[in-house]
Amino acid sequence: MATAKATIDHDTIKRWVEEHGGCPAHVKRSGSKKDPGILRIDFPGYSGRESLERISWDEFFDAFDGNELALLYQDDENSRFSKFVSRDTVDVADGGSSRSRGRSARSAAASKASSRSKSSSSRSRSSSAKSASGSSRSSSARGRSSARSRADGNGSSAKSARGRSGANGRSGARSASRAKAPAEEGIDAIALLSEQHREVEGLFEKLESARGSSQKERIFAKLADALAAHSRIEEEIFYPSVFTDETETELRESVEEHLVVKRLVADMLDMEASDPQFMSKASVLKEVVRHHVEEEEHQLFPEVREQNADELEELGAKMQQRFEQLMQREPRKQVPKEARAASVPF
């Protein structure tokens, strides 16, 4: 597997994307007139046809720089791997072009002027402050686009998460009591998670084809429970167990992606299914989950299987047992609390 590189250089990004048959895009209905929302690279014919919409390079780079993102990519003609991350979480080899370089130059000039006017102790305090600020930006950068999307629909919310849970309490309890084991006994951890990914995809399809509001609410309750329990077993068991120097970056990014998912789910739990914004948020949620699943199955899982092959079956048994326990308690009820900050188990 080729090593991923990080860049903020506009020319490098544009050249790599176009050479691999891609184009700049954003998740439909995730932004506003002034902000495209969640950025993506679309490769027509592969995925994202229904959830992604093409935008201009100018729109793309305005949002890219404004959110202080960097692009992870593989310099391989056969790889379309790409991922947006906070610039504070990676080492960028190039200095960026056009607006990126201008932003860096202004920042460097300001830093230099500040350093001349301060004592060595002041510089030390400034360095500590920047480090703390960088850590904060890293943990919140992925939630910015989702936060903008969330703002579009919250004004019409008429139902609290507690009320929603109460309305679905009996049906949710019956669903939990009838819940089958997510996988056969002895399945390994990666196969278990992959099977749960397919179940979630099936629930998204059912939600999209549902007609009445009551049917949508029942299906979404199952979907929210599945996503909540799935993320919990990953964060509590899987991620800490497979954490290594090689997987650290991907695992930390996965935790941040979980936070985006939880915030969208929390928004939808606080809405009526009859709200016109409800299914728009469902479309954004589907795309965020799809992207997360694609990266786990194509990048993280192969690395984990290579490094932890002898431990996956035992790990899978623990995860399956924990999943069943969580599904008996309507885990979606805990999502609003979990959406306040990323759960970093390492």
Side-chain angles (χ1 to χ4, degrees), residues 236-306:
E236 292 179 2
I237 303 173
F238 185 67
Y239 289 170
S241 299
V242 301
F243 183 86
T244 64
D245 290 342
E246 289 75 19
T247 61
E248 179 177 2
T249 297
E250 291 173 351
L251 290 176
R252 292 193 183 280
E253 293 297 334
S254 292
V255 169
E256 295 298 330
E257 289 169 352
H258 279 187
L259 180 59
V260 176
V261 170
K262 291 174 184 177
R263 287 175 172 170
L264 286 167
V265 170
D267 281 352
M268 295 179 69
L269 286 171
D270 199 38
M271 298 173 68
E272 297 280 357
S274 58
D275 189 322
Q277 198 68 17
F278 184 85
M279 290 308 297
S280 294
K281 282 189 178 291
S283 296
V284 175
L285 176 63
K286 179 181 178 181
E287 168 57 22
V288 172
V289 170
R290 183 202 65 78
H291 185 76
H292 174 73
V293 166
E294 185 177 86
E295 289 186 339
E296 278 197 337
E297 295 188 355
H298 295 169
Q299 300 295 321
L300 178 62
F301 288 177
E303 292 181 13
V304 170
R305 187 171 292 283
E306 182 178 350

Side-chain angles (χ1 to χ4, degrees), residues 16 55 60 82 91 96 98 180 213 224 284 295 323-324 327:
W16 182 87
I55 60 176
F60 177 89
S82 63
D91 293 326
S98 64
K180 297 180 180 179
S213 296
V284 175
E295 289 186 339
F323 183 86
E324 293 172 1
M327 288 298 286

Side-chain angles (χ1 to χ4, degrees), residues 26-27 30-39 55 59-60 63:
H26 74 134
V27 178
S30 68
S32 62
K33 292 182 179 180
K34 296 182 179 180
D35 178 12
I38 301 175
L39 296 181
I55 60 176
E59 291 178 289
F60 177 89

Side-chain angles (χ1 to χ4, degrees), residues 207-224:
L207 181 62
E208 290 174 335
S209 62
R211 296 185 178 181
S213 296
S214 60
Q215 185 181 20
K216 290 178 181 179
E217 288 186 1
R218 288 195 298 272
I219 295 172
F220 179 69
K222 294 179 181 179
L223 174 61

Side-chain angles (χ1 to χ4, degrees), residues 64-233:
F64 181 81
D65 290 336
N67 289 298
E68 297 185 355
L69 299 176
L71 176 71
L72 287 181
Y73 70 102
Q74 291 180 339
D75 197 8
D76 182 340
E77 62 180 8
N78 297 317
S79 174
R80 291 183 299 276
F81 167 76
S82 63
K83 186 172 187 176
F84 295 108
V85 298
S86 169
R87 295 180 185 182
D88 299 301
T89 65
V90 293
D91 293 326
V92 181
D94 52 63
S97 65
S98 64
R99 284 163 286 186
S100 298
R101 213 167 27 224
R103 181 188 299 268
S104 298
R106 289 193 299 271
S107 177
S111 176
K112 185 175 181 180
S114 176
S115 65
R116 285 198 301 266
S117 64
K118 295 180 180 180
S119 64
S120 59
S121 61
S122 296
R123 287 197 302 271
S124 176
R125 287 194 298 271
S126 176
S127 176
S128 298
K130 290 178 181 177
S131 176
S133 175
S135 175
S136 175
R137 287 196 304 273
S138 172
S139 65
S140 63
R142 286 189 173 270
R144 289 175 183 167
S145 295
S146 175
R148 297 189 186 98
S149 172
R150 211 164 47 247
D152 293 338
N154 285 347
S156 59
S157 299
K159 191 173 186 179
S160 66
R162 180 176 300 174
R164 174 71 172 270
S165 298
N168 291 291
R170 288 189 298 274
S171 63
R174 288 195 298 270
S175 175
S177 65
R178 293 196 303 268
K180 297 180 180 179
E184 296 180 0
E185 185 176 357
I187 193 170
D188 73 33
I190 291 176
L192 173 66
L193 294 176
S194 297
E195 182 174 308
Q196 291 176 1
H197 289 165
R198 304 291 84 77
E199 292 173 355
V200 164
E201 290 167 356
L203 288 171
F204 271 117
E205 292 178 0
K206 290 181 179 179
L207 181 62
E208 290 174 335
S209 62
R211 296 185 178 181
S213 296
S214 60
Q215 185 181 20
K216 290 178 181 179
E217 288 186 1
R218 288 195 298 272
I219 295 172
F220 179 69
K222 294 179 181 179
L223 174 61
D225 279 340
L227 289 171
H230 178 82
S231 64
R232 286 281 294 278
I233 65 171

